[in-house]
Every structure is written in C-alpha cells, then in structure tokens.
Amino acid sequence: MALNASTLDQLADHLETCQLKAQDTLKITESHPDMDWDDAYAIQDRILARKLARGARVVGYKAGLTSHAKMKQMGVTDPVFGFLVDEFVVPEGAEVQVSDLIHPKVEPEICFITRTELKGPGCHIGAVLAASDVVLPGIEVIDSRYRDFKFDLKSVVADNTSAARFVVGGRIASARDVDLRTLGVVLEKNGQPVAMGAGAAVLGHPAAAVAMLVNHLGRRGQSLPAGSLVLSGGITEAVAVQAGDNVTLRIQNLGSVSVRFV
Ligand code: 0L1
Ligand code: MG
C-alpha cells in the first residue's frame, strides 16, 4: 500500500461526504498519484465501515464496467467491484430525488440473487448459475462523485464504483431456465427507447461478472454470502437522467422495472 491509514481515512471521509452532500470533487489520484489498487479498495472498505457504524446493512454487491459499451464510454479496460447497502435501495416505481445526487445516469442490468455462499478463487459461470436462485431486471443509478464523470479506475474503485441507487423488479426467473446471453434488453426514457442490447454484452455472459466478483472477494479473503443481490453490470452505455424523467427497463422473459426522477 502506498498511503498511510490516516490518509485512507481522510479520503474515505472526503468521498463519502461528497456522496451524502451531493457535491462533486476532482479525482483523488490528482492529489494522490501514488495510490495503488489496495489503497483504492481500502478507501472503499472505509466508506462501507462508516456506513455500517451508522447502522447500514449490506444488501449485495455490484460489478461495474463489465460491458464493452461501458468500457468504451469511460475509456477503461477492466471491471470494478463495489458494495450495495440499504440506503441505495429504491422500491419499484418509486421516485429518486435528483437533488440528492450530482449527475445521475441509469444503467440496465441483469441482477442475481444467490441461494448458497460462493467462494473464489476458481469460481466460474457454472458455479454461479448453480448457486443462483433467481435473476431479475434492475436499473442501477450511478452518480460518480468525480467532476464530469472524469476519473481513472483507482479513483472509481475508491468511490465505490459510483454506486448511488438501484431498483429491481419485474418478473423473477430461475437463473437456469433462461439463456442470459440472448435476453434482449430495452431501456426507455420517457417512453422512448434510448439504449438496447442483450445479456452477452456483459463479459459474454452476465454470470461471468458474478464469477469475477467472487474471485475478487476471494483474493481479499472474503466470500459472497448466500442471499446476496448482485448487479452484474450495465448492458449498454449509461444514460443521463434529470428531474422529470421516467425510466423503464424491459428485459425479455423478465418483465419490466421502472423508476421516476423528481
Ligand atoms: O456500474 C458501473 O458500471 C459504474 C462503474 C463506475 C464507472 C462509472 O461511474 O461509470
Ligand atoms: Mg452498473
């Protein structure tokens, strides 16, 4: 690690304060160019610890930057991983207050709910499908704390991969009964289709993103607990939203899920 404990604490405090106050900031590698990957995840861990100390509950995990569309949009090459806590949950059809966010964007995602614990290293698509009870559609609302979404991968990891809100719903399906690669996905904003794709856009198969998450957790001495929700990553590029927008995600065989921005 390149940064000392008090710097990690100070950066976690800074980024979480930006999230809670909806204020943007320059990417933290500007002031800490030596920051390494362990530092980045240590800052993310410290943000989670702050939330847990205030009574938050971990409800799942997310993989980000898992599609070529997203990687191209953000100019990066590798997936990243973050945590989901109860404060990010939006009930289906409910409203998201835009003034609580900086510059929200939405992403269409296939979400998994696991039935048994998954451990890496060596986790693969088969293990993920065998351990997953259901899949369902989800809209992730990302909100990078970095000015104009300008960042590098380490800064994004420290910022909990831009996690802000998410809504899941529609129709649940058995992860084994649908071909997640060929499921068609349509994201609509105010009744107009704005992005389209298929499950295979996520690393060839959305379960591959979950396996990568499990192997990432395994490298850190952690596992994915039974009952975890996992957002497997945006299937298309992210779409900017503002107050007044209605967003609906339709996924073939999985129904639809909607959220309103006010
Ligand atoms: O969930 C995601 O793919 C977001 C990852 C972080 C990068 C971004 O803010 O777009
Ligand atoms: Mg996402």
Side-chain angles (χ1 to χ4, degrees), residues 12-66:
D13 176 27
H14 175 60
L15 286 173
E16 205 213 5
T17 302
C18 286
Q19 181 230 315
L20 295 172
K21 295 194 170 166
Q23 289 168 352
D24 68 6
T25 181
L26 291 179
K27 64 181 197 250
I28 56 174
T29 47
E30 301 271 338
S31 50
H32 297 86
D34 299 339
M35 188 176 120
D36 64 22
W37 287 107
D38 289 336
D39 294 320
Y41 277 105
I43 294 165
Q44 187 189 114
D45 288 347
R46 280 165 158 80
I47 293 174
L48 174 59
R50 291 168 64 89
K51 292 185 183 300
L52 294 177
R54 292 197 304 270
R57 195 171 76 81
V58 175
V59 296
Y61 295 87
K62 60 166 283 188
L65 303 174
T66 50

Short mmCIF file of all heavy atoms in Angstrom, two decimals, residues 12-66:
data_model
loop_
_atom_site.label_atom_id
_atom_site.label_comp_id
_atom_site.label_asym_id
_atom_site.label_seq_id
_atom_site.Cartn_x
_atom_site.Cartn_y
_atom_site.Cartn_z
N ALA A 12 -11.61 8.54 2.54
CA ALA A 12 -12.93 7.93 2.69
C ALA A 12 -13.94 8.95 3.21
O ALA A 12 -15.08 9.05 2.71
CB ALA A 12 -12.84 6.74 3.64
N ASP A 13 -13.51 9.73 4.18
CA ASP A 13 -14.37 10.79 4.73
C ASP A 13 -14.75 11.76 3.62
O ASP A 13 -15.92 12.12 3.44
CB ASP A 13 -13.60 11.49 5.86
CG ASP A 13 -14.37 12.65 6.43
OD1 ASP A 13 -15.60 12.62 6.37
OD2 ASP A 13 -13.74 13.61 6.93
N HIS A 14 -13.76 12.17 2.83
CA HIS A 14 -14.00 13.15 1.76
C HIS A 14 -15.00 12.61 0.73
O HIS A 14 -15.98 13.27 0.38
CB HIS A 14 -12.67 13.48 1.09
CG HIS A 14 -12.79 14.37 -0.09
ND1 HIS A 14 -13.35 15.64 -0.03
CD2 HIS A 14 -12.47 14.17 -1.40
CE1 HIS A 14 -13.35 16.18 -1.23
NE2 HIS A 14 -12.84 15.31 -2.08
N LEU A 15 -14.76 11.38 0.26
CA LEU A 15 -15.63 10.84 -0.79
C LEU A 15 -17.03 10.56 -0.27
O LEU A 15 -18.03 10.82 -0.96
CB LEU A 15 -15.02 9.55 -1.38
CG LEU A 15 -13.83 9.77 -2.31
CD1 LEU A 15 -13.20 8.44 -2.70
CD2 LEU A 15 -14.24 10.55 -3.55
N GLU A 16 -17.12 10.05 0.97
CA GLU A 16 -18.48 9.78 1.47
C GLU A 16 -19.23 11.08 1.73
O GLU A 16 -20.44 11.17 1.48
CB GLU A 16 -18.46 8.90 2.73
CG GLU A 16 -19.80 8.16 2.83
CD GLU A 16 -20.32 7.90 4.23
OE1 GLU A 16 -19.70 8.37 5.20
OE2 GLU A 16 -21.36 7.25 4.33
N THR A 17 -18.51 12.10 2.19
CA THR A 17 -19.17 13.40 2.40
C THR A 17 -19.67 13.95 1.06
O THR A 17 -20.78 14.49 0.98
CB THR A 17 -18.19 14.39 3.08
OG1 THR A 17 -17.77 13.81 4.31
CG2 THR A 17 -18.84 15.73 3.34
N CYS A 18 -18.86 13.80 0.02
CA CYS A 18 -19.31 14.23 -1.33
C CYS A 18 -20.59 13.49 -1.71
O CYS A 18 -21.52 14.09 -2.27
CB CYS A 18 -18.24 13.97 -2.38
SG CYS A 18 -16.85 15.11 -2.28
N GLN A 19 -20.62 12.18 -1.43
CA GLN A 19 -21.83 11.41 -1.76
C GLN A 19 -23.03 11.92 -0.96
O GLN A 19 -24.09 12.21 -1.54
CB GLN A 19 -21.61 9.92 -1.45
CG GLN A 19 -22.81 9.03 -1.79
CD GLN A 19 -23.22 8.11 -0.67
OE1 GLN A 19 -22.39 7.47 -0.02
NE2 GLN A 19 -24.51 8.02 -0.42
N LEU A 20 -22.86 12.07 0.34
CA LEU A 20 -24.00 12.43 1.19
C LEU A 20 -24.48 13.86 0.94
O LEU A 20 -25.66 14.16 1.10
CB LEU A 20 -23.64 12.22 2.67
CG LEU A 20 -23.36 10.76 3.05
CD1 LEU A 20 -22.83 10.69 4.48
CD2 LEU A 20 -24.60 9.90 2.90
N LYS A 21 -23.56 14.74 0.56
CA LYS A 21 -23.94 16.15 0.33
C LYS A 21 -24.15 16.47 -1.15
O LYS A 21 -24.38 17.63 -1.51
CB LYS A 21 -22.87 17.08 0.90
CG LYS A 21 -22.76 16.97 2.40
CD LYS A 21 -21.96 18.11 2.97
CE LYS A 21 -22.07 18.13 4.49
NZ LYS A 21 -21.08 18.98 5.11
N ALA A 22 -24.02 15.45 -2.01
CA ALA A 22 -24.19 15.64 -3.46
C ALA A 22 -23.28 16.76 -3.99
O ALA A 22 -23.71 17.67 -4.68
CB ALA A 22 -25.65 15.91 -3.82
N GLN A 23 -22.00 16.65 -3.61
CA GLN A 23 -21.00 17.62 -4.09
C GLN A 23 -19.96 16.88 -4.90
O GLN A 23 -19.52 15.81 -4.51
CB GLN A 23 -20.28 18.25 -2.90
CG GLN A 23 -21.14 19.18 -2.10
CD GLN A 23 -20.49 19.55 -0.76
OE1 GLN A 23 -19.45 18.99 -0.37
NE2 GLN A 23 -21.11 20.47 -0.06
N ASP A 24 -19.53 17.46 -6.01
CA ASP A 24 -18.52 16.77 -6.78
C ASP A 24 -17.11 17.16 -6.32
O ASP A 24 -16.93 18.08 -5.52
CB ASP A 24 -18.72 16.97 -8.29
CG ASP A 24 -18.47 18.41 -8.73
OD1 ASP A 24 -18.02 19.23 -7.91
OD2 ASP A 24 -18.71 18.71 -9.90
N THR A 25 -16.14 16.41 -6.83
CA THR A 25 -14.74 16.62 -6.44
C THR A 25 -13.85 16.22 -7.60
O THR A 25 -14.28 15.50 -8.50
CB THR A 25 -14.39 15.79 -5.18
OG1 THR A 25 -13.04 16.04 -4.80
CG2 THR A 25 -14.53 14.29 -5.43
N LEU A 26 -12.60 16.66 -7.55
CA LEU A 26 -11.63 16.17 -8.53
C LEU A 26 -11.27 14.73 -8.18
O LEU A 26 -11.34 14.33 -7.02
CB LEU A 26 -10.37 17.02 -8.49
CG LEU A 26 -10.52 18.45 -9.01
CD1 LEU A 26 -9.19 19.18 -8.88
CD2 LEU A 26 -10.99 18.45 -10.47
N LYS A 27 -10.86 13.94 -9.18
CA LYS A 27 -10.49 12.56 -8.88
C LYS A 27 -9.31 12.55 -7.90
O LYS A 27 -8.42 13.41 -7.98
CB LYS A 27 -10.20 11.77 -10.15
CG LYS A 27 -9.03 12.25 -10.97
CD LYS A 27 -8.90 11.37 -12.21
CE LYS A 27 -7.55 11.52 -12.83
NZ LYS A 27 -7.48 12.22 -14.09
N ILE A 28 -9.36 11.58 -6.98
CA ILE A 28 -8.42 11.65 -5.85
C ILE A 28 -6.99 11.30 -6.26
O ILE A 28 -6.05 11.61 -5.52
CB ILE A 28 -8.88 10.79 -4.65
CG1 ILE A 28 -9.10 9.34 -5.06
CG2 ILE A 28 -10.13 11.39 -4.02
CD1 ILE A 28 -9.42 8.43 -3.88
N THR A 29 -6.82 10.68 -7.43
CA THR A 29 -5.44 10.43 -7.88
C THR A 29 -4.73 11.71 -8.30
O THR A 29 -3.52 11.71 -8.48
CB THR A 29 -5.43 9.41 -9.05
OG1 THR A 29 -6.41 9.81 -9.99
CG2 THR A 29 -5.72 8.00 -8.57
N GLU A 30 -5.48 12.81 -8.47
CA GLU A 30 -4.81 14.11 -8.74
C GLU A 30 -3.91 14.48 -7.56
O GLU A 30 -2.78 14.91 -7.73
CB GLU A 30 -5.84 15.24 -8.92
CG GLU A 30 -6.83 15.03 -10.04
CD GLU A 30 -6.33 15.57 -11.36
OE1 GLU A 30 -5.46 16.44 -11.36
OE2 GLU A 30 -6.83 15.08 -12.39
N SER A 31 -4.48 14.32 -6.34
CA SER A 31 -3.71 14.71 -5.15
C SER A 31 -2.88 13.55 -4.61
O SER A 31 -1.96 13.77 -3.82
CB SER A 31 -4.65 15.23 -4.06
OG SER A 31 -5.70 14.32 -3.87
N HIS A 32 -3.22 12.30 -5.01
CA HIS A 32 -2.50 11.12 -4.51
C HIS A 32 -2.13 10.21 -5.67
O HIS A 32 -2.66 9.09 -5.80
CB HIS A 32 -3.36 10.37 -3.47
CG HIS A 32 -3.64 11.19 -2.26
ND1 HIS A 32 -4.71 12.07 -2.17
CD2 HIS A 32 -2.97 11.30 -1.09
CE1 HIS A 32 -4.67 12.67 -1.01
NE2 HIS A 32 -3.64 12.24 -0.32
N PRO A 33 -1.23 10.68 -6.55
CA PRO A 33 -0.91 9.91 -7.76
C PRO A 33 -0.29 8.54 -7.48
O PRO A 33 -0.33 7.67 -8.34
CB PRO A 33 0.06 10.83 -8.51
CG PRO A 33 0.56 11.80 -7.51
CD PRO A 33 -0.47 11.93 -6.45
N ASP A 34 0.26 8.34 -6.26
CA ASP A 34 0.91 7.05 -5.96
C ASP A 34 -0.06 5.99 -5.48
O ASP A 34 0.33 4.84 -5.26
CB ASP A 34 1.97 7.23 -4.85
CG ASP A 34 3.05 8.18 -5.29
OD1 ASP A 34 3.19 8.35 -6.52
OD2 ASP A 34 3.71 8.76 -4.41
N MET A 35 -1.30 6.37 -5.29
CA MET A 35 -2.30 5.44 -4.75
C MET A 35 -2.31 4.14 -5.56
O MET A 35 -2.29 4.16 -6.78
CB MET A 35 -3.66 6.14 -4.91
CG MET A 35 -4.79 5.48 -4.26
SD MET A 35 -6.23 6.59 -4.51
CE MET A 35 -7.26 5.49 -5.38
N ASP A 36 -2.33 2.98 -4.86
CA ASP A 36 -2.35 1.71 -5.60
C ASP A 36 -3.73 1.04 -5.45
O ASP A 36 -4.63 1.57 -4.81
CB ASP A 36 -1.18 0.81 -5.18
CG ASP A 36 -1.27 0.37 -3.72
OD1 ASP A 36 -2.38 0.38 -3.15
OD2 ASP A 36 -0.21 -0.01 -3.16
N TRP A 37 -3.86 -0.17 -6.05
CA TRP A 37 -5.16 -0.86 -6.02
C TRP A 37 -5.60 -1.19 -4.61
O TRP A 37 -6.79 -1.09 -4.27
CB TRP A 37 -5.09 -2.14 -6.86
CG TRP A 37 -5.06 -1.84 -8.31
CD1 TRP A 37 -4.00 -1.93 -9.16
CD2 TRP A 37 -6.16 -1.34 -9.09
NE1 TRP A 37 -4.38 -1.52 -10.42
CE2 TRP A 37 -5.69 -1.16 -10.40
CE3 TRP A 37 -7.49 -1.03 -8.80
CZ2 TRP A 37 -6.49 -0.68 -11.43
CZ3 TRP A 37 -8.29 -0.56 -9.82
CH2 TRP A 37 -7.79 -0.39 -11.11
N ASP A 38 -4.65 -1.61 -3.77
CA ASP A 38 -5.02 -1.95 -2.38
C ASP A 38 -5.53 -0.71 -1.66
O ASP A 38 -6.48 -0.78 -0.87
CB ASP A 38 -3.81 -2.53 -1.64
CG ASP A 38 -3.47 -3.92 -2.15
OD1 ASP A 38 -4.37 -4.59 -2.70
OD2 ASP A 38 -2.30 -4.34 -2.01
N ASP A 39 -4.89 0.43 -1.94
CA ASP A 39 -5.37 1.69 -1.33
C ASP A 39 -6.81 1.97 -1.78
O ASP A 39 -7.66 2.37 -0.98
CB ASP A 39 -4.49 2.87 -1.75
CG ASP A 39 -3.07 2.78 -1.22
OD1 ASP A 39 -2.90 2.37 -0.06
OD2 ASP A 39 -2.14 3.13 -1.97
N ALA A 40 -7.05 1.78 -3.08
CA ALA A 40 -8.37 2.11 -3.63
C ALA A 40 -9.46 1.28 -2.94
O ALA A 40 -10.49 1.82 -2.49
CB ALA A 40 -8.38 1.87 -5.13
N TYR A 41 -9.23 -0.04 -2.85
CA TYR A 41 -10.25 -0.87 -2.18
C TYR A 41 -10.27 -0.61 -0.67
O TYR A 41 -11.32 -0.75 -0.04
CB TYR A 41 -10.04 -2.36 -2.52
CG TYR A 41 -10.67 -2.71 -3.87
CD1 TYR A 41 -9.91 -2.91 -5.00
CD2 TYR A 41 -12.07 -2.80 -4.00
CE1 TYR A 41 -10.49 -3.20 -6.23
CE2 TYR A 41 -12.66 -3.09 -5.22
CZ TYR A 41 -11.88 -3.29 -6.33
OH TYR A 41 -12.47 -3.56 -7.55
N ALA A 42 -9.14 -0.23 -0.09
CA ALA A 42 -9.14 0.10 1.35
C ALA A 42 -9.99 1.35 1.61
O ALA A 42 -10.68 1.44 2.65
CB ALA A 42 -7.71 0.30 1.84
N ILE A 43 -9.95 2.30 0.70
CA ILE A 43 -10.79 3.50 0.87
C ILE A 43 -12.27 3.09 0.76
O ILE A 43 -13.11 3.50 1.57
CB ILE A 43 -10.42 4.58 -0.17
CG1 ILE A 43 -9.00 5.09 0.09
CG2 ILE A 43 -11.43 5.73 -0.15
CD1 ILE A 43 -8.39 5.89 -1.06
N GLN A 44 -12.58 2.25 -0.25
CA GLN A 44 -13.96 1.75 -0.39
C GLN A 44 -14.40 1.03 0.90
O GLN A 44 -15.52 1.22 1.39
CB GLN A 44 -14.04 0.80 -1.59
CG GLN A 44 -15.46 0.37 -1.91
CD GLN A 44 -15.52 -0.74 -2.96
OE1 GLN A 44 -15.92 -1.85 -2.64
NE2 GLN A 44 -15.14 -0.45 -4.20
N ASP A 45 -13.51 0.18 1.44
CA ASP A 45 -13.83 -0.53 2.70
C ASP A 45 -14.11 0.45 3.83
O ASP A 45 -15.00 0.23 4.66
CB ASP A 45 -12.65 -1.42 3.14
CG ASP A 45 -12.47 -2.64 2.26
OD1 ASP A 45 -13.38 -2.96 1.48
OD2 ASP A 45 -11.40 -3.27 2.37
N ARG A 46 -13.34 1.52 3.87
CA ARG A 46 -13.54 2.51 4.95
C ARG A 46 -14.87 3.24 4.78
O ARG A 46 -15.52 3.60 5.77
CB ARG A 46 -12.37 3.49 5.00
CG ARG A 46 -11.14 2.91 5.72
CD ARG A 46 -9.92 3.74 5.42
NE ARG A 46 -8.87 3.59 6.43
CZ ARG A 46 -8.02 2.57 6.50
NH1 ARG A 46 -8.13 1.57 5.64
NH2 ARG A 46 -7.09 2.54 7.44
N ILE A 47 -15.27 3.48 3.54
CA ILE A 47 -16.58 4.11 3.32
C ILE A 47 -17.68 3.16 3.83
O ILE A 47 -18.62 3.58 4.53
CB ILE A 47 -16.79 4.47 1.83
CG1 ILE A 47 -15.82 5.57 1.42
CG2 ILE A 47 -18.25 4.89 1.57
CD1 ILE A 47 -15.82 5.91 -0.06
N LEU A 48 -17.53 1.87 3.50
CA LEU A 48 -18.51 0.90 3.99
C LEU A 48 -18.52 0.86 5.53
O LEU A 48 -19.59 0.85 6.15
CB LEU A 48 -18.20 -0.50 3.42
CG LEU A 48 -19.08 -1.63 3.96
CD1 LEU A 48 -20.57 -1.37 3.70
CD2 LEU A 48 -18.65 -2.97 3.36
N ALA A 49 -17.34 0.87 6.13
CA ALA A 49 -17.26 0.82 7.60
C ALA A 49 -17.98 2.02 8.22
O ALA A 49 -18.66 1.90 9.25
CB ALA A 49 -15.80 0.76 8.04
N ARG A 50 -17.83 3.19 7.61
CA ARG A 50 -18.51 4.39 8.12
C ARG A 50 -20.03 4.17 8.08
O ARG A 50 -20.75 4.52 9.02
CB ARG A 50 -18.15 5.61 7.26
CG ARG A 50 -16.71 6.06 7.39
CD ARG A 50 -16.38 7.07 6.29
NE ARG A 50 -17.15 8.29 6.43
CZ ARG A 50 -16.78 9.35 7.15
NH1 ARG A 50 -15.63 9.32 7.80
NH2 ARG A 50 -17.53 10.42 7.24
N LYS A 51 -20.52 3.60 6.97
CA LYS A 51 -21.96 3.39 6.83
C LYS A 51 -22.45 2.34 7.83
O LYS A 51 -23.50 2.51 8.47
CB LYS A 51 -22.30 2.98 5.39
CG LYS A 51 -22.07 4.11 4.38
CD LYS A 51 -22.53 3.72 2.99
CE LYS A 51 -22.23 4.82 1.97
NZ LYS A 51 -22.87 6.12 2.25
N LEU A 52 -21.68 1.25 7.98
CA LEU A 52 -22.08 0.20 8.92
C LEU A 52 -22.13 0.75 10.34
O LEU A 52 -23.03 0.41 11.12
CB LEU A 52 -21.12 -0.99 8.84
CG LEU A 52 -21.12 -1.77 7.52
CD1 LEU A 52 -20.07 -2.88 7.54
CD2 LEU A 52 -22.49 -2.35 7.20
N ALA A 53 -21.19 1.61 10.67
CA ALA A 53 -21.16 2.19 12.02
C ALA A 53 -22.41 3.04 12.28
O ALA A 53 -22.81 3.23 13.43
CB ALA A 53 -19.89 3.04 12.19
N ARG A 54 -23.01 3.55 11.21
CA ARG A 54 -24.25 4.33 11.37
C ARG A 54 -25.49 3.45 11.23
O ARG A 54 -26.61 3.96 11.15
CB ARG A 54 -24.30 5.45 10.33
CG ARG A 54 -23.25 6.54 10.55
CD ARG A 54 -23.62 7.80 9.78
NE ARG A 54 -23.78 7.52 8.37
CZ ARG A 54 -22.78 7.59 7.48
NH1 ARG A 54 -21.58 7.96 7.84
NH2 ARG A 54 -23.01 7.31 6.23
N GLY A 55 -25.30 2.12 11.14
CA GLY A 55 -26.45 1.21 11.14
C GLY A 55 -26.86 0.69 9.78
O GLY A 55 -27.88 0.02 9.66
N ALA A 56 -26.07 0.98 8.73
CA ALA A 56 -26.42 0.48 7.40
C ALA A 56 -26.26 -1.04 7.35
O ALA A 56 -25.56 -1.63 8.18
CB ALA A 56 -25.53 1.13 6.34
N ARG A 57 -26.90 -1.64 6.36
CA ARG A 57 -26.82 -3.09 6.16
C ARG A 57 -26.37 -3.36 4.72
O ARG A 57 -26.88 -2.72 3.79
CB ARG A 57 -28.20 -3.70 6.39
CG ARG A 57 -28.22 -5.19 6.58
CD ARG A 57 -29.60 -5.65 7.02
NE ARG A 57 -30.55 -5.66 5.91
CZ ARG A 57 -30.64 -6.63 5.01
NH1 ARG A 57 -29.86 -7.68 5.08
NH2 ARG A 57 -31.52 -6.57 4.03
N VAL A 58 -25.43 -4.27 4.56
CA VAL A 58 -25.03 -4.65 3.20
C VAL A 58 -26.13 -5.51 2.61
O VAL A 58 -26.56 -6.50 3.22
CB VAL A 58 -23.70 -5.44 3.23
CG1 VAL A 58 -23.35 -5.94 1.82
CG2 VAL A 58 -22.57 -4.57 3.76
N VAL A 59 -26.61 -5.15 1.40
CA VAL A 59 -27.66 -5.95 0.75
C VAL A 59 -27.11 -6.67 -0.48
O VAL A 59 -27.81 -7.50 -1.06
CB VAL A 59 -28.89 -5.10 0.37
CG1 VAL A 59 -29.56 -4.56 1.62
CG2 VAL A 59 -28.52 -3.96 -0.57
N GLY A 60 -25.92 -6.34 -0.89
CA GLY A 60 -25.37 -7.02 -2.05
C GLY A 60 -24.11 -6.34 -2.56
O GLY A 60 -23.49 -5.53 -1.87
N TYR A 61 -23.80 -6.70 -3.81
CA TYR A 61 -22.57 -6.21 -4.44
C TYR A 61 -22.86 -5.85 -5.88
O TYR A 61 -23.87 -6.26 -6.45
CB TYR A 61 -21.48 -7.30 -4.40
CG TYR A 61 -21.06 -7.62 -3.00
CD1 TYR A 61 -21.75 -8.57 -2.26
CD2 TYR A 61 -20.00 -6.95 -2.41
CE1 TYR A 61 -21.39 -8.87 -0.95
CE2 TYR A 61 -19.63 -7.23 -1.10
CZ TYR A 61 -20.32 -8.19 -0.38
OH TYR A 61 -19.97 -8.46 0.91
N LYS A 62 -21.93 -5.12 -6.50
CA LYS A 62 -22.09 -4.77 -7.90
C LYS A 62 -20.78 -4.97 -8.64
O LYS A 62 -19.69 -4.78 -8.06
CB LYS A 62 -22.58 -3.33 -8.06
CG LYS A 62 -21.66 -2.29 -7.48
CD LYS A 62 -22.02 -0.90 -7.96
CE LYS A 62 -21.54 -0.64 -9.38
NZ LYS A 62 -21.71 0.76 -9.78
N ALA A 63 -20.93 -5.35 -9.88
CA ALA A 63 -19.79 -5.32 -10.80
C ALA A 63 -20.04 -4.13 -11.72
O ALA A 63 -21.19 -3.87 -12.11
CB ALA A 63 -19.72 -6.61 -11.60
N GLY A 64 -19.00 -3.41 -12.05
CA GLY A 64 -19.16 -2.25 -12.92
C GLY A 64 -18.18 -2.32 -14.07
O GLY A 64 -17.17 -3.05 -14.01
N LEU A 65 -18.49 -1.57 -15.12
CA LEU A 65 -17.63 -1.52 -16.30
C LEU A 65 -17.42 -2.92 -16.86
O LEU A 65 -16.29 -3.31 -17.17
CB LEU A 65 -16.29 -0.86 -15.95
CG LEU A 65 -16.39 0.55 -15.36
CD1 LEU A 65 -15.03 1.05 -14.92
CD2 LEU A 65 -17.01 1.52 -16.35
N THR A 66 -18.51 -3.67 -16.98
CA THR A 66 -18.40 -5.06 -17.43
C THR A 66 -18.76 -5.23 -18.91
O THR A 66 -18.70 -6.33 -19.42
CB THR A 66 -19.33 -5.97 -16.60
OG1 THR A 66 -20.63 -5.38 -16.57
CG2 THR A 66 -18.83 -6.16 -15.19
#
